[in-house]
């Protein structure tokens, strides 16, 4: 690892001052699980590392809004394990708890933070597909103000996000699933239980009258340079009857938009096929959940 | 660049000056001589370097000592009390929880973290928790049985 200076600001203002002073030569550190590895491998050689561990106010999980219009607001430094075990999250956003539970191992989840996981920008990560499907927003704060952005727009390229030098991701707002919807996050793990996904799919299906699909969200991970939101595939199911044929047509359409890499987790061709299979299964599970969640007549 | 840090390790406060790039595992092993914590993969995967930071399980191989300034660190050297092994340590001896021993400090620290939080885990909970600690020797059932025994439940039948 190269030599650098480590800073432990005790307020956001102090952190912004450091980031502004050192510009491109500064790197934010949260849990460190991504950034320390990159520094060990010399993929990143910052002169200044700004640790957020002592910055107050980034560690809470709170409710936003009311009833089904509400959701949760998660501070950037909340760890994966804290989020997945939070009773409110488990109750109102079980899909989020389940998705974070799929990340790596309990040890990594005790260290890795929600903010760090997003700014890491690795397209193989588990949380982004689920957060995009739910329409989550991030708040980016800097010395010159604050901007909100859908998680979907955060990812620019392989390990590249729209977070600018000087900005800190301070919180993530996650809306609840629409009423009448069901969801699933499937992570295909043919190698070991602690691996990154070979292919992953987040699906949310909202049921309209009868057996129709009033809305559907399908977002895939590990099949491109960024998470892939399969909007074209969604449009084949939205407004249609939830028949096996329509579901199959929708799942098949994801093959047109995924662009996986050939690697030790599988060939590009295999991953493309698995993207279809896991999309179909995710939609089926989400539909099953809409039936289970339906209030008794 | 050197940094001043203050870490409380197994109850003893240490004020040290370390290079910012000093990893916690190296600080423990080389600066404090606490060589019980092992390093295997160096990339967060194997669990050999597991320690507790403010009670939470962490991989010391991907943690900067400077980044956890002010924290309470617990290592394998710190869990026996008054000359008596921690119940998890004793269970690993009694139930064949180790062979070569290189992974054992990490296994024990992980198991301790589990039982601190969930004193009566089910077999599935033990498996899900311990999945991040690799062992090339035991075939894992010795470990599973040891953790179950330390939790006071009946070890499985595969010992
Ligand atoms: C062994 C191992 C296995 C893994 N397996 C999985 C897996 O199965 N699934 C999965 O999804 N992920 C996996 N990961 C990746 C892991 O989820 C990320 O490394 C982690 O989420 C990053 O969070 P962190 O808090 O440690 O971030 P850090 O490493 O501290 O930071 C990551 C990046 O974000 C920036 N950053 C951090 N916080 C902020 C902030 N608040 N504002 C602005 N920038 C910030 C940093 O500058 C850096 O670029 C694995 C990692 C390891 C080491
Ligand atoms: S040495 Fe740290 S996890 Fe393997
Ligand atoms: S006892 Fe040898 S690696 Fe686990």
């Amino acid at each position: 690892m190269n030599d650098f200076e480590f800073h432990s600001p005790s307020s956001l203002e102090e952190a912004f001052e450091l980031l502004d002073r050192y510009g491109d030569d500064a790197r934010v550190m949260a849990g460190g699980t991504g950034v320390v590895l990159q520094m060990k491998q010399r993929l990143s050689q910052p002169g200044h590392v700004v640790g957020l561990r002592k910055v107050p106010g980034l560690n809470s999980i709170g409710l936003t809004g009311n009833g089904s219009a509400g959701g949760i607001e998660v501070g950037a430094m909340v760890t994966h394990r804290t989020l997945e075990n939070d009773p409110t999250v488990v109750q109102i956003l079980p899909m989020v708890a389940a998705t974070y539970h799929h990340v790596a191992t309990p040890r990594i989840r005790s260290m890795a933070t929600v903010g760090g996981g997003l700014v890491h920008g690795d397209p193989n990560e588990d949380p982004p597909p689920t957060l995009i499907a739910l329409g989550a927003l991030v708040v980016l704060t800097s010395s010159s103000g604050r901007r909100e952005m859908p998680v979907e727009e955060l990812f620019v390229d392989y390990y590249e996000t729209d977070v600018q030098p000087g900005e800190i991701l301070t919180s993530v707002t996650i809306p609840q699933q629409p009423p009448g919807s069901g969801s699933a996050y499937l992570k295909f793990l043919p190698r070991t239980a602690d691996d990154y996904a070979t292919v992953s799919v987040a699906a949310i299906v909202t049921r309209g009258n009868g057996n129709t699909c009033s809305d559907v969200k399908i977002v895939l991970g590990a099949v491109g340079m960024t998470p892939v939101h399969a909007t074209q595939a969604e449009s084949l199911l939205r407004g249609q009857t939830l028949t096996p044929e329509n579901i199959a047509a929708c799942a098949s359409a994801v093959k047109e938009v995924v662009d996986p890499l050939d690697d030790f987790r599988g060939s590009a061709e295999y991953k493309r096929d698995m993207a279809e299979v896991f999309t179909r299964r995710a939609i089926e599970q989400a539909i099953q959940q809409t039936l289970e969640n339906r209030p008794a007549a | 660049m050197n940094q001043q840090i203050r870490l409380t390790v197994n109850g003893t406060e240490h004020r040290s000056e370390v290079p910012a790039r000093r990893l916690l595992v190296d600080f423990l092993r080389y600066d404090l001589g606490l060589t019980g914590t092992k390093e295997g993969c160096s990339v967060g995967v194997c669990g050999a370097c597991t320690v507790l930071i403010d009670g939470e399980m962490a991989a010391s191989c991907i943690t900067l000592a400077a980044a956890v300034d002010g924290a309470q660190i617990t290592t394998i050297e710190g869990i026996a009390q008054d000359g008596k092994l921690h119940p998890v340590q004793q269970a690993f001896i009694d139930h064949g929880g180790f062979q070569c021993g290189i992974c054992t400090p990490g296994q024990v620290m992980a198991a301790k973290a589990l039982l601190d939080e969930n004193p009566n885990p089910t077999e599935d909970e033990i498996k899900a928790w311990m999945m991040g600690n690799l062992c090339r020797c035991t075939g894992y059932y010795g470990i599973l049985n040891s953790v179950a025994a330390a939790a006071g439940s009946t070890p499985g039948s595969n010992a």
Side-chain angles (χ1 to χ4, degrees):
Chain A
M1 222 187 292
N2 270 54
D3 199 15
F4 57 89
E5 188 174 350
F6 191 87
H7 304 269
S8 298
S10 47
S11 68
L12 265 182
E13 292 65 35
E14 206 184 314
F16 294 140
E17 208 175 284
L18 288 160
L19 293 178
D20 289 345
R21 187 179 323 150
Y22 299 114
D24 275 348
D25 198 27
R27 194 84 193 269
V28 172
M29 180 180 292
T33 61
V35 81
V36 172
L37 277 181
Q38 289 179 347
M39 286 165 62
K40 275 186 155 188
Q41 294 164 354
R42 304 204 175 192
L43 294 170
S44 172
Q45 308 192 348
H48 298 268
V49 175
V50 179
L52 299 183
R53 206 165 162 274
K54 293 182 183 170
V55 174
L58 301 177
N59 286 301
S60 58
I61 300 176
L63 284 168
T64 60
N66 285 318
S68 63
I72 54 167
E73 184 176 0
V74 184
M77 290 296 283
V78 169
T79 65
H80 287 37
R81 277 205 74 233
T82 303
L83 187 66
E84 79 184 75
N85 290 326
D86 183 88
T88 309
V89 177
V90 170
Q91 197 200 333
I92 74 168
L93 277 162
M95 182 189 195
V96 170
T99 302
Y100 276 88
H101 183 72
H102 273 300
V103 173
T105 59
R107 180 178 55 258
I108 296 296
R109 298 202 297 278
S110 298
M111 304 172 71
T113 65
V114 169
L118 290 173
V119 185
H120 195 43
D122 173 350
N124 301 323
E125 289 184 307
D126 297 294
T130 289
L131 295 183
I132 293 170
L134 286 165
L137 302 172
V138 293
V139 177
L140 301 173
T141 315
S142 69
S143 56
S144 53
R146 165 187 198 279
R147 58 185 182 126
E148 259 184 27
M149 165 188 306
V151 172
E152 181 158 11
E153 287 166 27
L154 187 66
F155 302 105
V156 175
D157 204 341
Y158 199 55
Y159 286 93
E160 193 184 327
T161 66
D162 193 41
V163 178
Q164 302 301 314
E167 280 187 323
I168 291 177
L169 192 161
T170 41
S171 65
V172 183
T173 309
I174 315 174
Q176 275 188 65
Q177 270 177 230
S181 67
S183 64
Y185 174 72
L186 299 186
K187 179 177 188 179
F188 180 38
L189 286 171
R191 290 167 14 109
T192 59
D194 65 346
D195 200 6
Y196 284 92
T198 290
V199 166
S200 69
V201 186
I204 303 178
V205 178
T206 311
R207 196 182 266 272
N209 288 331
N211 195 30
T212 58
C213 165
S214 66
D215 197 9
V216 57
K217 299 276 186 239
I218 300 167
V219 188
L220 297 101
V223 289
M225 293 299 124
T226 62
V228 173
H229 186 174
T231 49
Q232 172 64 25
E234 290 172 0
S235 69
L236 296 178
L237 197 56
R238 191 175 294 116
Q240 305 296 314
T241 319
L242 289 166
T243 60
E245 296 72 32
N246 287 339
I247 294 167
C250 167
S252 172
V254 302
K255 290 172 85 173
E256 308 301 322
V257 288
V258 299
D259 187 14
L261 293 171
D262 268 316
D263 66 12
F264 55 89
R265 293 194 181 88
S267 66
E269 195 188 351
Y270 179 64
K271 291 182 187 178
R272 188 170 283 120
D273 285 347
M274 290 304 109
E276 173 179 3
V277 170
F278 279 82
T279 300
R280 181 168 44 72
R281 290 183 191 168
I283 294 171
E284 287 167 354
Q285 279 193 25
I287 294 171
Q288 187 57 36
Q289 215 186 63
T290 64
L291 298 173
E292 287 157 13
N293 291 349
R294 186 182 278 185
Chain B
M1 186 137 222
N2 281 359
Q3 319 269 153
Q4 295 289 336
I5 59 165
R6 181 179 57 84
L7 287 178
T8 304
V9 181
N10 302 328
T12 306
E13 187 179 292
H14 298 271
R15 287 174 189 271
S16 314
E17 191 174 301
V18 296
R21 62 181 169 198
R22 198 71 160 151
L23 292 164
L24 181 60
V25 65
D26 295 331
F27 176 74
L28 294 170
R29 290 178 55 86
Y30 302 129
D31 294 344
L32 301 187
L34 296 174
T35 54
T37 302
K38 306 304 181 197
E39 185 166 20
C41 67
S42 311
V43 290
V45 171
C46 76
C49 67
T50 304
V51 299
L52 308 187
I53 301 177
D54 292 333
E56 294 282 338
M57 206 171 25
S60 59
C61 70
I62 51 172
T63 301
L64 297 177
V68 291
D69 175 43
Q72 301 269 351
I73 314 289
T74 310
T75 73
I76 189 71
E77 288 90 348
I79 62 172
Q81 273 187 350
D82 306 325
K84 195 165 176 288
L85 292 180
H86 186 277
V88 173
Q89 291 175 302
Q90 191 59 51
F92 269 68
I93 293 172
D94 296 342
H95 296 273
F98 58 92
Q99 290 181 28
C100 82
I102 188 84
C103 71
T104 312
Q107 304 281 2
V108 170
M109 294 312 291
K112 177 184 173 348
L114 169 64
L115 300 184
D116 285 350
E117 183 174 306
N118 178 2
N120 295 301
T122 62
E123 183 169 328
D124 284 347
E125 284 171 338
I126 298 174
K127 285 183 179 169
W129 184 274
M130 299 298 293
M131 76 188 242
N133 286 76
L134 305 186
C135 175
R136 298 281 92 162
C137 300
T138 60
Y140 295 105
Y141 281 99
I143 295 170
L144 189 58
N145 292 341
S146 304
V147 180
S153 53
T154 320
S157 52
N158 301 326

